[in-house]
Amino acid sequence: MCQNSDETKQRSPQTNAATVDGALERLRTTKLPFIVELVVAWVVILLFSIRYMIGYLLLVIQLKRLRAHPDQWYRHVPITSVARTTSSLSKMPRDMMDRLIHILSESKKGAAINDADIIRTLQSNLEARQLASQIMLAADSCSFDTSTMTKSTTAISSNELKQQLQRLWPILLHLSPATLRKHANDRSYQHRISVIIPAYKETPQDIHETLSKAHDRCSDASTIQIIVVHAGGGRSPPGDDGDNDDLNQLQAMNNSWGDLHVLHHRGGGGRGRSMNVGAEKATGEILTFLHADTILPQNWDLSIRKALLGNGSSNSSIDNRPNNGMATCCAFTQGIDISPVGLKGGPCPAGINPACEILGFLRCRICKLPYGDSVLSFPADLFHYMGGYPDQPLMEDFEIVSQLRKRSYLLDERIVVLQDRAYCSVRRWQAFGVIYTVLVNALCVHRYTSGTTADELFDFYYRKSTKKME
C-alpha cells in the first residue's frame, strides 16, 4: 500500500502538468469573443500582479534576514552565472571539486593553499569561479569525503576547501570597479556601448527597421558598436530554407555606426548562447542586449551610460536602500508597441494595453525583475567576470537578473530601471492572445523556480507555438 501511495505521489505532479498543458493547448487553439478575452485577460493579469508582489515581498523579507548572516550567502548567491539544464545538473560535485583543487594546486606545487591563494585564483580564473559557484550551491546536499583527490596528493582536502569557501564567500562576492578592471583579461574597449542583437527567424527588413530607429534616437551613433548574431532560420524571402545570408546586407549600415558586424552562429543553444557569442566579440565599455523586435527610446545611449557609469539620474528608479552603490545592470521599463506600424496590419489583442503594461511596470519598476525585452545592459567588465548569461536555451535573462537582484540586497550594488519605455513587439500576443501568453510566461517562471530545467521549459515554451508563429 505504501508503495502504491508513493507511486501516486510521484505521478501526481506529472499528471497535473499534463492537465495544465492540455488546457493551454485548447486555449491556444480557441478563439474567444473579444469581450470575454478582455475581461478574462484583466482578471488573469490582476491575479499574477498580486502573485508577483507577494513573491517580491517574501523575497525582500528573506534577503533582509539573510543580510545579517553572511556565512549563509553561499547557499543563495553564486559568484558567476550558473546554468540550470539537464546536463549541468548531471555533473558530479565531487568531480567539480577535484577540478577546482587541481586549479588551485597548479601554482602551489604541494604548498599549503591559504585564503589569499583562493581569493586570487577565483578572482583571476573564470573556470575556477564557475566551479566554485556550482559546488557551493550543492554543498549542503552532498559530501566530499569520497573525493578521488585526497590531502595526501594535494595541498588541501575537499572538505577543507569547502569550509574555506563558505567562510570566504562574502569576500568573493564583493566586487568593486577596481577589482573588475584588474581582472578584465586586458580587454580593450574601443566603443562606449556595444549593442548585441540575437537574430533567429528574423527578417533582415525587421532588423534594419529596428537599427534605423535606434540610430535616429541615439545621441552619438559614432560611439556605438552593433553586433548582430545571425543564428539562422530567417523568415524571408518566401520559399527560402532559412539559412540564407540576407542579414549581410546590414553591413551597408556600417558607416552609420561606430562599427557594425554580422556574426554567424550555428552552434544552437538558444538566445543566451547567441548573446554570449556576440559579447565575446564586443569592444564596448557597456554591453546592451537588444531583441530584434524591440524599439529603443529617445537618447537611449545617454540614459544607459548615465545609469551604469554615472551616479543615477532623475530619470531612474533605484533601490530605496541607504546605500547607492555600484550599478550592475540597467533596463528600460517594458512597453508594448501597439502603434499601426507595430501592429503591421494585424489586430490589437484584447487587454494588451494597459493591462499588460501595468503588469510589466510592476515587474520591472516595483519588483526589480526586468526581462530581456526591457533591453538589459551591463558594464562589460562585470558581465565577463560573471561568465555572461548562463548557457541555457531559455530563462537566461530571468536567471541573471534574479542573481543580481539578490546581490543588490546583500551588497553595495543596485539594479537601475529607467522610466523610459522600450517597446517590444506585439506579435506573440497577436498570435496566441493575451490570456495564453500571460499564462505561459507565468508558468515558465513558476516551473523554473520550482526546479524545472531550462531545456525542459524550452520545449514547453517554443515547440508548441513554432508552427503558428511561422
Side-chain angles (χ1 to χ4, degrees), residues 426-438:
V426 75
R427 62 189 181 186
R428 187 169 178 83
W429 283 280
Q430 285 178 317
F432 306 113
V434 173
I435 302 172
Y436 174 86
T437 304
V438 171

Side-chain angles (χ1 to χ4, degrees), residues 107-137:
S107 62
K108 298 301 292 183
K109 298 180 179 180
I113 297 174
N114 56 36
D115 290 356
D117 296 325
I118 295 174
I119 294 172
R120 182 175 60 254
T121 301
L122 264 64
Q123 286 184 340
S124 61
N125 188 309
L126 175 59
E127 182 188 2
R129 291 195 296 274
Q130 291 173 327
L131 287 168
S133 295
Q134 291 175 294
I135 289 167
M136 298 313 291
L137 286 177

Side-chain angles (χ1 to χ4, degrees), residues 59 83 87 97 103 199 208 224 231 249 300 308 315 388 410 452 455:
L59 176 66
S87 60
M97 178 65 85
I103 294 173
H208 189 280
I224 308 298
Q249 68 183 260
W300 56 269
L308 292 181
N315 194 34
L410 301 178
T452 303
D455 39 342

Side-chain angles (χ1 to χ4, degrees), residues 198-213:
Y200 178 69
K201 294 188 176 181
E202 300 289 350
T203 67
Q205 294 78 11
D206 286 345
I207 296 178
H208 189 280
E209 180 181 344
T210 297
L211 286 176
S212 295
K213 291 181 178 179

Side-chain angles (χ1 to χ4, degrees), residues 67 177 306-314 316-329 368 408 411-417:
R67 193 173 186 183
K306 186 175 289 187
L308 292 181
L309 304 181
N311 295 318
S313 72
S314 59
S316 67
S317 170
I318 61 178
D319 267 344
N320 294 319
R321 297 193 293 111
N323 58 63
N324 191 21
M326 179 178 67
T328 57
C329 172
K368 296 294 188 296
S408 70
L411 302 160
D412 189 23
E413 299 174 358
R414 60 194 172 94
I415 295 176
V416 180
V417 181

Side-chain angles (χ1 to χ4, degrees), residues 307 315-319 329-334 360-361 363-370 374 414-420:
N315 194 34
S316 67
S317 170
I318 61 178
D319 267 344
C329 172
C330 85
F332 296 99
T333 302
Q334 182 195 40
F361 177 88
R363 178 173 48 76
C364 294
R365 296 291 301 281
I366 306 300
C367 300
K368 296 294 188 296
L369 191 62
S374 289
R414 60 194 172 94
I415 295 176
V416 180
V417 181
L418 299 161
Q419 291 180 358
D420 290 337

Side-chain angles (χ1 to χ4, degrees), residues 10-12 19 37 40 101 132 136 150 217 244 255 266 280 293 303 335 362-363 397 416 422 435 447:
Q10 292 174 359
R11 288 196 302 265
S12 181
T19 301
E37 183 160 4
V40 176
I101 290 176
M136 298 313 291
T150 65
R217 300 176 183 192
N244 62 77
N255 294 334
R266 295 296 186 268
E280 281 301 312
D293 59 357
S303 297
L362 289 172
R363 178 173 48 76
D397 50 355
V416 180
I435 302 172
R447 291 182 178 181

